[in-house]
Each structure stands twice: as C-alpha cells, then as structure tokens.
Amino acid sequence: MASTARAQAPIGHRALFITTLAVPLTGWTVHAVSLHRKLAAARRDPLTGLLGRDGYTAKARQITERYGDAAMLVLVDLDHFKQINDGPGGHGAGDRVLAATATRLTAWAGSRGAVGRLGGDEFAVAVRIGPAHRALRLAQLTKLLAQPVEVDDGILVDVAASVGAASPDVLGTTDLSVLQRAADAAMYSGKHTGRAVLADGSHAVVPSINGRRAGRPGTHTLGRAA
C-alpha cells in the first residue's frame, strides 16, 4: 500500500507541474491572440473597414514588387466632398459617401488587390492589371465612382472622383514612393475632368514632400512600412 502511494506521488507532482506550466502558457496564448486582433484592427480604418495608411503601404509594396510591370497604383480623391459634408445631410451623408466609395473600390480591385484610406476623402489602390487592360479598367472605375450614393430616406447625392494611376513599366521603377508621387500628380492634372490619368515620366518629377505632391493637404507622409 505504501509502495503504491509512493509510486503515485511522483505522477501527481508531475501532473501538477505540467498543469502549473499550462496555465500561464494558455494565458499567454489568449493574450497573444487578443493582441494580434487589436493590432489587425488598428491597421483598419474604423469607418470604411479599409486598410489604414501603414497597412495599405505594406500591402501595396508587396503587390508592386511581386507583379512588377503588371502592377498599378491608383489614387482617388473625391471631388467637392466638403460640399457634401456641409450640405443638408451633414457629416452623416459624408460618412455614407466614404463608405460607399470604399465598397466600390474594394469590388473593383478584387480579392487580390489592396485598398486603403489614406485620410479624409482620399483613397489608394494597388492592383494587378496588365498594360492591355488599364485604360478600360480605369474608365470602368471612374464610371463606378460617379454613381450617386443614397444617403438617407432615398435621397441621392451626386458624387465624382479624380483618379490618377501609375505603373512600373511606364515609370521604370517599382519604388512605391515614386509611383505614389506620380499617381498623385496625374490625379491632380486630371482634377474635375471626369477621367482617369495614367502617369508618365513628367508626373514623376513634380516637386514633392515625402512622396506626395508638394502642398497637398492631409497627406504628409507615406505609411511607415515604406
């Protein structure tokens, strides 16, 4: 009887020791999962659900480096957005327009594209589209973004967007800062025209600060990942 008790004691101690170890390990796992979810959420824009600046920058870099000349970077800026915010529907109407724009950009980019909200009414997309299809796809995008948005009780708000794009094969580089600067300049050159502008070499040399056209408000830096 005594020998049985002695034989069981080490087993009991071993089980207790393993259990004692498992508790903090399990707690750490739960903490790690929770932390990961919080970090993932922090990379998303709370209004639109799109990637934030840092998350988008990281994804955009992956896409441009992976697809090379078949990649395209697109910047989108809503036209007259302040008038929507200052209109009868107020900021609620503005939020609905932003959310609708995010949904449209996500649908256009597809599951392999990256869509981010850089701030305010400015969005960015990194996507794989070969040279032969760019003009058609960009025309589809401008048409999609120009569709009215229902903001409240069936009230429709007219929207429009300026679109600029840049691609590595035209500019001779996959450097994200250069592509984004050129796309931004191309977007500005086509402002309020209702058509997308694909950047050429002249757009890449427009004076800039931190990869953006000098003087452009609200876009002082690229994400840290760049």
Side-chain angles (χ1 to χ4, degrees):
M1 205 57 181
S3 61
T4 303
R6 284 195 301 272
Q8 289 176 344
I11 297 175
H13 287 311
R14 232 179 3 253
L16 179 61
F17 177 70
I18 293 172
T19 302
T20 304
L21 283 177
V23 170
L25 286 175
T26 302
W28 171 250
T29 300
V30 172
H31 173 72
V33 170
S34 175
L35 181 61
H36 175 76
R37 289 175 178 172
K38 289 179 180 179
L39 289 173
R43 294 165 68 90
R44 294 277 173 181
D45 173 58
L47 174 62
T48 64
L50 297 179
L51 292 167
R53 183 181 296 272
D54 290 336
Y56 165 76
T57 299
K59 289 286 291 182
R61 169 170 278 179
Q62 291 174 5
I63 289 171
T64 55
E65 291 180 349
R66 179 176 181 180
Y67 297 117
D69 289 348
M72 186 167 68
L73 182 71
V74 182
L75 288 186
V76 174
D77 193 43
L78 296 180
D79 297 337
H80 310 299
F81 183 70
K82 187 176 185 302
Q83 295 179 14
I84 297 174
N85 263 339
D86 294 342
H91 289 281
D95 288 349
R96 288 181 177 86
V97 169
L98 292 173
T101 300
T103 299
R104 293 168 178 179
L105 289 173
T106 301
W108 181 81
S111 59
R112 296 185 179 181
V115 185
R117 183 183 179 200
L118 301 186
D121 59 331
E122 187 183 37
F123 301 84
V125 183
V127 66
R128 180 187 182 184
I129 299 177
H133 303 287
R134 285 177 188 147
L136 177 60
R137 292 296 308 279
L138 287 172
Q140 291 173 340
L141 177 60
T142 55
K143 183 177 180 180
L144 180 64
L145 294 175
Q147 294 179 7
V149 174
E150 183 176 336
V151 295
D152 191 25
D153 295 331
I155 297 175
L156 295 177
V157 171
D158 290 327
V159 294
S162 296
V163 179
S167 55
D169 61 318
V170 176
L171 300 181
T173 180
T174 58
D175 185 280
L176 188 61
S177 296
V178 176
L179 293 171
Q180 184 149 310
R181 178 172 68 244
D184 185 63
M187 178 183 69
Y188 184 72
S189 68
K191 196 74 175 168
H192 306 306
T193 65
R195 62 183 180 85
V197 178
L198 182 63
D200 57 29
S202 66
H203 295 105
V205 295
V206 171
S208 64
I209 298 174
N210 293 321
R212 307 308 310 280
R213 176 172 50 81
R216 181 164 179 75
T219 51
H220 303 299
T221 61
L222 280 170
R224 288 187 296 272

